[in-house]
Amino acid sequence: MKSLNEQDSKIFDLLGKETNRQNLNLELIASENFTSKAVMEAQGSVLTNKYAEGYPGKRYYGGCEFVDVVEDIARDRAKKLYNADWVNVQPHSGASANAAVYLAFMKPGETLLGFDLSHGGHLTHGSHVNFSGIYFKPEFYGVEKETGRLDYDKIREKAKAVQPKMISIGASAYSRDYDYEAFRSIADEVGAYLWMDMAHTAGLIATGHLKSPLPHAHVVTTTTHKTLRGPRGGMILIGKDGENTLGVVAPKSGRVKNWSEVLDSAVFPGTQGGPLMHVIAAKAVAYGEALQPDFKDYQTQVIANAKAMADEFMAMGYDIVSGGTDNHLILIDLRNKGVTGKLAEEALGHAAITVNKNMVPFDTESPFVTSGIRIGSPAMTTRGFGEEEFRTVAKLIDRVIQDPENETVHAKVTQEVEALCEQFPLYDFITA
Ligand SMILES: *Cc1c(COP(=O)(O)O)cnc(C)c1O
C-alpha cells in the first residue's frame, strides 16, 4: 500500500505545514492541547475500520472481541479518574455528549437555565443558533458586573422565576471554580436536574486541583481533548447510579431503568450510530496517562502558569476579568487599551501568537469584534513552559497590543517566539 506521501502529496504537504505551525507558534487557545505520541498512535490505528454499534458484550456486529476490551478499559479508567459509578466514552465530541443529555432529560419546549453565552457560556447551553436554543427554551444566569463572578443568590432568584427543567453549569471562558453545593440546593429547591459540562476543566478536576461536580450533579459531560489532553472527543459520567426519576421504563419488563441505562440509550441509538473505536482506544490511553502522578504535576504547572501570566498582565495595567484565575485560562478585557479583540487576535497572529478574541461580560462590541481575548496555558505547559516563560509570553503579547499594526514589531516578536519555541521542541518524532 502507498504511504500518504505517495498517495496524496497535497494533504501530506498540508500536514507538514500544520506541524510546522504547531512547532513554531505560541499556542495559547485555552481549549487546545498537545496529545502524547501514544494517544496519536492509538487514534491513527486500524480501529478506525471497526463497526461496533452497541456496548461491550451487546454489539450489533461481529468481530468485536478486541474492541470490547478496549472500551471496557477506557470506561474503567475514566471511572477511576473521576470516582464515578458510570461513564459513557462513546460521544464523538463535547457537543454530542450534550445532545445525549438533552435527549435524556428534556422534552422539546422545556426550560433550560444555563450560563450566559456572552459571559463565557457555551453554544450548546441554549444559543439561538444551536439545537439547544432551537428545541428548548433557554434562560440564562451570568456573572456580576463588579466582580466578574457568579452570585448564587441571584441564580437562585432566577431559577425560582423561570422554573427550569434542568440547570446547566460550565463555560468556555470562566476562570473561577463553581460552588456545586449551592447549585444543587438551587436545583433541588426548584425541582430541576443539575448538569455540569466540565469540558474545559476536566483535567484539573481529575487531579483534584478543582472541585469535583460528580457528587452534586445528576449528570456530568466533558470533552476529552482540552485540559484532559486526550484525543478529540466527549464523555458522559454519573457519580451515583440508581433508578431514574424520569419515569423511563424498560419496554418488556416494565422495570424502571437506571440513570446509566437511560443515558446509554440516549447516546446510542438516541443520538449517535457507530462509536469511533480508534478514538475510544486513544481515550483509554489518555485516561491511563491522566492516572499517572506526573499528570498531577502537569496540572499544578498549568494553574501556576495561568496565574503567573495573569499577574504579569495586571502589573502592566491590563484588566483581567474577575481579577485573576483559579484555572487554566484568563480573560482580558482590552477596552482600557483601546484595542478590540478582533484586532488583537489578528495582530498577535502576525507575531506567531495564537489566541482567540472573546466576548467579555457586558461587552459593548459584537461577537465578531469583541472587547477581549482569552488566553490559556494548557498547550504550552505541555511543551514544558514554566512561569518564567509565561511571564515572557505576557510581555510579548503586550508589545504587540501596544502597537498592533506595526509590522516591525510583528517581525521582531515572531523571531523571539520562534527562538522560545525551539527551546521546547514538540513532537521530535515528526519531521515536517
Ligand atoms: C468545548 C466545549 C464544548 C464542545 O466541545 P466540542 O468537542 O467542540 O463539541 C461543550 N461545552 C463546553 C463548556 C466547551 O467548552
Side-chain angles (χ1 to χ4, degrees), residues 93-96 98 122 124-125 170-172 197 199-200 223 225-226 232-233:
S93 67
S96 303
N98 295 353
H122 191 262
T124 54
H125 294 230
S172 313
D197 177 353
H200 258 265
T223 63
H225 49 274
K226 297 180 183 174
R232 305 201 76 73

Side-chain angles (χ1 to χ4, degrees), residues 116-337:
D116 192 332
L117 310 175
S118 65
H119 289 197
H122 191 262
L123 281 170
T124 54
H125 294 230
S127 160
H128 70 280
V129 295
N130 183 264
F131 77 94
S132 57
I134 296 169
Y135 290 139
F136 307 102
K137 186 168 178 291
E139 293 282 351
F140 299 103
Y141 59 85
V143 301
E144 296 305 299
K145 200 165 188 172
E146 315 77 56
T147 60
R149 298 182 190 230
L150 297 175
D151 176 329
Y152 292 87
D153 293 333
K154 294 218 173 127
I155 300 173
R156 189 180 298 272
E157 278 169 34
K158 180 88 191 187
K160 282 183 181 167
V162 304
Q163 293 290 318
K165 177 77 177 290
M166 182 160 72
I167 298 176
S168 72
I169 322 172
S172 313
Y174 187 57
S175 57
R176 298 299 178 179
D177 205 357
Y178 300 97
D179 183 344
Y180 297 113
E181 282 96 340
F183 265 117
R184 180 61 189 251
S185 98
I186 295 166
D188 286 346
E189 189 172 338
V190 299
Y193 292 109
L194 185 63
W195 158 39
M196 166 64 180
D197 177 353
M198 60 174 184
H200 258 265
T201 48
L204 296 161
I205 290 169
T207 51
H209 286 85
L210 294 178
K211 286 177 276 180
S212 174
L214 270 87
H216 310 288
H218 291 92
V219 62
V220 175
T221 57
T222 186
T223 63
T224 48
H225 49 274
K226 297 180 183 174
T227 50
L228 192 49
R229 208 164 62 179
R232 305 201 76 73
M235 163 162 76
I236 310 178
L237 309 105
I238 49 183
K240 191 106 201 79
D241 199 8
E243 278 186 9
N244 78 83
T245 49
L246 293 164
V248 184
V249 295
K252 279 193 189 134
S253 63
R255 181 182 61 81
V256 178
K257 286 186 172 184
N258 279 353
W259 284 117
S260 54
E261 297 167 272
V262 175
L263 284 160
D264 271 339
S265 307
V267 174
F268 174 83
T271 50
Q272 289 192 168
L276 312 176
M277 291 315 303
H278 55 307
V279 177
I280 291 173
K283 286 173 182 169
V285 174
Y287 304 155
E289 290 174 358
L291 286 164
Q292 302 302 311
D294 61 354
F295 192 69
K296 194 163 194 168
D297 301 337
Y298 162 66
Q299 299 296 356
T300 303
Q301 195 62 51
V302 163
I303 293 182
N305 287 346
K307 282 191 196 300
M309 190 166 48
D311 288 346
E312 194 67 36
F313 274 118
M314 288 189 289
M316 293 187 291
Y318 282 83
D319 180 4
I320 307 286
V321 174
S322 89
T325 181
D326 294 332
N327 59 26
H328 62 297
L329 67 84
I330 61 175
L331 184 59
I332 308 183
D333 186 336
L334 291 168
R335 281 178 287 200
N336 69 347
K337 297 284 176 181

